[in-house]
Amino acid sequence: MNRMDHNPRRHGERGQTIILVALTVVTMLAMAALAIDVVTLYVARTEMQRAADGAALAAAKAFVDSGVTTDPTNSTRQTLATDMATAMINSTIQQNKIGGVQPALVGTPTPDFTHDGNPQITVTLQRTDLPMFFARIWGNRAMTVTASAKAEAYNPSSSQTSTGNYVPIQPRCVKPLMIGNLDPRPSGSGAIVDETTGAVLANLVGVRVNLQDGCQGTNPPSQCISGAG
C-alpha cells in the first residue's frame, strides 16, 4: 500500500539547506579574512617598525661617526652628517624588507641640529601594496602599512640644562687606570713603551700583573712611581 504525503508545508521547505550552507561559507570566509589578514597586517606592522628603528639608529650612528656631536655648529660637519645618515638609511632599508619587498621612504629624512651636540633624526617608512588574501572578497586587494622612528646621537657633555648641570660620562664596565711607563712584572725592567718612537718594548698581552698605588704616603704626590709594583 503506497502512502502519499500531501502536506504542502514540506514542499515549501525544500532548498533551505543550500541557503544555510551558502551563508555558512560566507561567514567562514569573513572569519578567515579577519583572522589571517589581520595577523598579516600586524606582522607587517612589526616588521615595518623594526625597519624604521634600524634605519633611525643607523642614521644616529652616522652622526657620531661624522663628528657633529662634538662640533654641532659646524655647517660642514652638519652637511657631512646629513649625507652619511641618508646613505645609512638607504642601505638599512634594503636589508629590512616587509613581506619580501623593500619599504619606501616617506619624504626626506631631515636631521634636527637644534639640540646642540645631540642631533636627532626621524625616519618614516611605508608600503602601500601589501597584498591581502581572503579579504579580496570584500574588494580589498592591498593595504598600506606605515611606521616612524626617531633616534638621537646622545652626547652627555652637551646635555646642558637650564641650571647648567649635565650628565657626566660614566663608564660601567672598565675602570680607567693610569700606570707609569714601567714594566710592572717582578722580572721586568725598563719601560713598556719607547717614549721616542712609541714602540712597545714589553709584551704584556695576556700577562696577569698586580698593580699597587705608587703614591702611598706622598702628600701632595710629586713623583709617585718609584719602581715596579
Side-chain angles (χ1 to χ4, degrees):
M1 181 177 179
N2 296 329
R3 182 177 179 182
M4 299 181 62
D5 189 356
H6 297 284
N7 189 348
R9 184 178 180 181
R10 290 193 175 183
H11 290 284
E13 294 177 353
R14 293 178 180 178
Q16 290 187 2
T17 302
I18 298 177
I19 298 176
L20 292 175
V21 170
L23 293 175
T24 303
V25 170
V26 173
T27 303
M28 292 179 62
L29 288 175
M31 294 176 63
L34 180 64
I36 297 177
D37 290 339
V38 168
V39 171
T40 301
L41 287 173
Y42 272 108
V43 172
R45 179 63 172 78
T46 302
E47 292 179 346
M48 186 71 74
Q49 188 62 60
R50 290 177 179 175
D53 292 344
L57 289 174
K61 177 61 168 58
F63 288 161
V64 177
D65 296 339
S66 69
V68 74
T69 55
T70 56
D71 193 9
T73 60
N74 190 318
S75 60
T76 302
R77 290 196 179 275
Q78 290 181 0
T79 302
L80 175 62
T82 302
D83 294 340
M84 292 177 62
T86 302
M88 290 300 298
I89 290 172
N90 292 329
S91 176
T92 302
I93 63 177
Q94 291 177 5
Q95 305 175 36
N96 294 274
K97 298 182 179 180
I98 312 303
V101 177
Q102 175 183 326
L105 275 171
V106 178
T108 302
T110 303
D112 181 6
F113 295 109
T114 59
H115 308 277
D116 288 347
N118 302 315
Q120 300 177 355
I121 189 168
T122 302
V123 178
T124 302
L125 302 180
Q126 185 180 81
R127 181 180 174 185
T128 59
D129 58 346
L130 185 68
M132 295 290 97
F133 299 96
F134 290 97
R136 293 183 178 183
I137 63 175
W138 311 115
N140 295 327
R141 295 183 174 273
M143 299 294 290
T144 299
V145 181
T146 306
S148 297
K150 177 185 286 187
E152 177 185 69
Y154 176 66
N155 187 349
S157 61
S158 299
S159 304
Q160 300 289 341
T161 64
S162 58
T163 59
N165 298 323
Y166 66 92
V167 180
I169 301 176
Q170 297 179 346
R172 297 183 179 181
C173 300
V174 179
K175 183 177 181 180
L177 297 174
M178 183 173 65
I179 63 175
N181 188 18
L182 186 64
D183 191 339
R185 294 172 294 184
S187 60
S189 61
I192 301 175
V193 178
D194 190 320
E195 297 180 0
T196 303
T197 63
V200 178
L201 303 177
N203 185 10
L204 299 178
V205 177
V207 178
R208 182 174 180 178
V209 296
N210 295 322
L211 301 178
Q212 65 183 22
D213 188 358
C215 299
Q216 296 178 0
T218 304
N219 188 20
S222 56
Q223 185 68 29
C224 299
I225 301 174
S226 59

